[in-house]
Amino acid sequence: MRCIINGETIHLPSHVSTVAQLLHHFHIHKKIAIVEINMHIVPKEDYEHTAIADGDRIEIVHFVGGG
Amino acid sequence: MNRYSRQQLFAPIGEKGQRYIRKKHVLIIGAGALGAANAETLVRAGIGKITIIDRDYVEWSNLQRQQLYTEDDAAKQLPKAIAASVHLRAINRDVVVEPIVADADARLLDDFVARERPDIILDSTDNFDVRMIINDVSQKYDVPWIYGACVGSYGLSYVIIPNETPCLRCLLEEVPLGNATCDTVGIISPVVHMVVAHQTVEALKICVHAQVNRKLVSFDIWQGQYRMIDVHKLKKDDCPSCGKTRTYPALQYENETKFAVLCGRETVQIRPARRGEREWTTLLLFLEKCGIQVEQNDYLCSFTVDGRRFVVFSDGRVFIHGTNDIQEAKRLYYQYLG
């Protein structure tokens, strides 16, 4: 599957089909990430059952603590 | 010639806006890279008063990006809040600059904001424990605050207006443990300035009563990525910080990260309020990336940095061996374990 993640076209392996799996794939802890698919924000409680599809535009923002 | 003439020529501010700016009091928490740059920008802009709180002192490794400080400050190991106040007064003597050399804990921030009622709180801290305290204090006393953070070449910023926008707890749900920090993956100065540019422009807008940007902004300045996300849907009615029934959890003693000296062992124990979910994989990955050798078993991992041995238990507790000094332990803990 091919998605546009943070502006870049990325090929995802076949076992990545939900938002939760996507975050896991990128080693991002779901509790500190905000995910938007095709301009719609995904509530955290929906990560497990929100599917991602070929061609989706996905934005992932993760919080950091530094400064 | 009026020193603010160019800023006043900018129509959204104007002479009227400049008068508003002159009357505002901004509380800056942290005097590191973000704090120094935030403070300098607002002091040059002619803010009425800034209060800057920091528990640390100036070190050589700060000079690469903490723009207010000089080699002399590092040689003298001056507290950052003091060194910052000296330089800020030299930049603009009309601004009242109040340094506070202290750990910005729940009690200090609650008391200060209750008493002084600053107009804005600017986050320039380096950890989520204190940000959750800022978040609760902001809601309790109805003072807007501006989150800003960066690591590597990545940064983000977000304005929290009580009773209007989602708060940090709505977005984060809990305090992340074992995140990347500037002391593990490094940081470059340009991303600090990008975060500060976003924080200070929103602060100026609040000063002149203009509409703030309500989107969560994030960027990677090395990669050339920039994005804004509309997060208003994430506001939660049952949020314990900004919802209908509020408990302000970060202001409760039992929810603070606790530091205690273990008698006779030259060790400080750190117990985060939340247990058992330390992010091992990311932590180990980052430590390895920085070339820090980590030993590990099923229950704990340990490593040595700055001549101090860290032991990190899977239930979240951390021992820092080789010191009895809580302030030093606190600094090391947030430096390496975010």
Side-chain angles (χ1 to χ4, degrees), chain B residues 59-76:
Chain B
E59 290 181 283
W60 287 97
S61 69
N62 301 149
L63 299 179
Q64 160 253 2
R65 67 193 184 284
Q66 302 188 11
Q67 67 182 51
L68 278 177
Y69 308 122
T70 62
E71 292 184 355
D72 195 43
D73 297 330
K76 289 181 180 153

Side-chain angles (χ1 to χ4, degrees), chain B residues 185-199:
Chain B
V185 299
I187 180 152
I188 52 170
S189 177
V191 75
V192 172
H193 295 288
M194 185 106 164
V195 172
V196 167
H198 282 81
Q199 287 186 287

Side-chain angles (χ1 to χ4, degrees), chain A:
Chain A
M1 179 160 54
R2 245 176 25 168
C3 293
I4 300 161
I5 299 175
N6 293 348
E8 277 178 59
T9 304
I10 307 240
H11 289 267
L12 293 170
S14 57
H15 65 267
V16 177
S17 60
T18 66
V19 172
Q21 287 161 353
L22 180 74
L23 291 177
H24 184 73
H25 178 69
F26 288 116
H27 303 289
I28 297 170
H29 192 37
K30 69 172 186 180
K31 296 200 165 119
I32 60 164
I34 304 267
V35 179
E36 192 187 62
I37 300 180
N38 302 326
M39 307 288 282
H40 293 288
I41 202 147
V42 185
K44 285 193 207 321
E45 55 271 23
D46 295 344
Y47 285 178
E48 303 289 337
H49 59 262
T50 300
I52 49 179
D54 198 53
D56 275 351
R57 297 186 72 94
I58 303 169
E59 300 288 343
I60 304 173
V61 173
H62 67 279
F63 285 87
V64 295

Side-chain angles (χ1 to χ4, degrees), chain B residues 44-88:
Chain B
R44 285 188 189 277
I47 201 84
K49 176 178 178 179
I50 68 158
T51 301
I52 189 155
I53 307 178
D54 194 280
R55 63 164 179 252
D56 207 356
Y57 59 88
V58 182
E59 290 181 283
W60 287 97
S61 69
N62 301 149
L63 299 179
Q64 160 253 2
R65 67 193 184 284
Q66 302 188 11
Q67 67 182 51
L68 278 177
Y69 308 122
T70 62
E71 292 184 355
D72 195 43
D73 297 330
K76 289 181 180 153
Q77 300 192 328
L78 285 178
K80 288 182 182 177
I82 299 298
S85 68
V86 170
H87 298 304
L88 291 167

Side-chain angles (χ1 to χ4, degrees), chain B residues 38-305:
Chain B
N38 272 319
E40 182 172 341
T41 305
L42 293 181
V43 163
R44 285 188 189 277
I47 201 84
K49 176 178 178 179
I50 68 158
T51 301
I52 189 155
I53 307 178
D54 194 280
R55 63 164 179 252
D56 207 356
Y57 59 88
V58 182
E59 290 181 283
W60 287 97
S61 69
N62 301 149
L63 299 179
Q64 160 253 2
R65 67 193 184 284
Q66 302 188 11
Q67 67 182 51
L68 278 177
Y69 308 122
T70 62
E71 292 184 355
D72 195 43
D73 297 330
K76 289 181 180 153
Q77 300 192 328
L78 285 178
K80 288 182 182 177
I82 299 298
S85 68
V86 170
H87 298 304
L88 291 167
R89 286 177 191 135
I91 287 168
N92 190 344
R93 64 188 166 184
D94 295 336
V95 176
V96 178
V97 179
E98 176 190 34
I100 299 179
V101 182
D103 186 34
D105 59 12
R107 160 143 325 159
L108 186 150
L109 290 182
D110 196 328
D111 288 352
F112 182 90
V113 176
R115 192 177 65 241
E116 302 279 330
R117 302 291 173 141
D119 297 287
I120 302 164
I121 304 173
L122 267 190
D123 164 30
S124 301
T125 66
D126 61 0
N127 67 82
F128 283 107
D129 285 334
V130 64
R131 286 192 178 96
M132 285 303 185
I133 295 169
I134 296 171
N135 190 59
D136 278 0
V137 166
S138 143
Q139 296 295 332
K140 188 171 173 185
Y141 299 107
D142 194 15
V143 177
W145 76 281
I146 306 175
Y147 164 73
C150 44
V151 65
S153 57
Y154 176 79
L156 60 173
S157 180
Y158 176 64
V159 183
I160 290 121
I161 310 274
N163 305 312
E164 292 182 28
T165 66
C167 75
L168 187 67
R169 194 180 294 277
C170 292
L171 304 191
L172 258 175
E173 290 184 1
E174 65 180 46
V175 181
L177 287 176
N179 221 328
T181 76
C182 301
D183 295 275
T184 53
V185 299
I187 180 152
I188 52 170
S189 177
V191 75
V192 172
H193 295 288
M194 185 106 164
V195 172
V196 167
H198 282 81
Q199 287 186 287
T200 50
V201 77
E202 300 305 331
L204 289 174
K205 286 193 217 167
I206 293 173
C207 286
V208 306
H209 311 291
Q211 186 67 251
V212 300
N213 177 12
R214 292 171 180 233
K215 291 182 175 168
L216 171 66
V217 184
S218 67
F219 34 80
D220 187 313
I221 198 164
W222 194 268
Q223 309 283 349
Q225 293 176 345
Y226 185 90
R227 64 192 78 94
M228 287 203 270
I229 289 190
D230 181 352
V231 290
H232 80 274
K233 279 189 184 155
L234 296 179
K235 187 159 175 59
K236 294 192 175 69
D237 284 345
D238 61 351
C239 173
S241 293
C242 75
K244 291 198 179 94
T245 317
R246 301 175 180 194
T247 56
Y248 305 122
L251 303 183
Q252 319 286 333
Y253 174 76
E254 61 270 26
N255 291 331
E256 275 181 36
T257 294
K258 293 181 191 66
F259 293 75
V261 178
L262 299 186
C263 288
R265 292 192 56 189
E266 244 208 320
T267 297
V268 175
Q269 173 182 261
I270 297 106
R271 195 157 47 80
R274 195 169 51 79
R275 314 251 176 122
E277 277 186 62
R278 200 166 275 287
E279 265 302 282
W280 285 97
T281 36
T282 13
L283 172 66
L284 294 176
L285 226 66
F286 283 125
L287 290 171
E288 265 166 38
K289 233 190 224 169
C290 333
I292 297 170
Q293 209 179 349
V294 184
E295 288 165 49
Q296 200 192 344
N297 64 29
D298 288 347
Y299 312 99
L300 55 87
C301 78
S302 65
F303 56 92
T304 302
V305 275

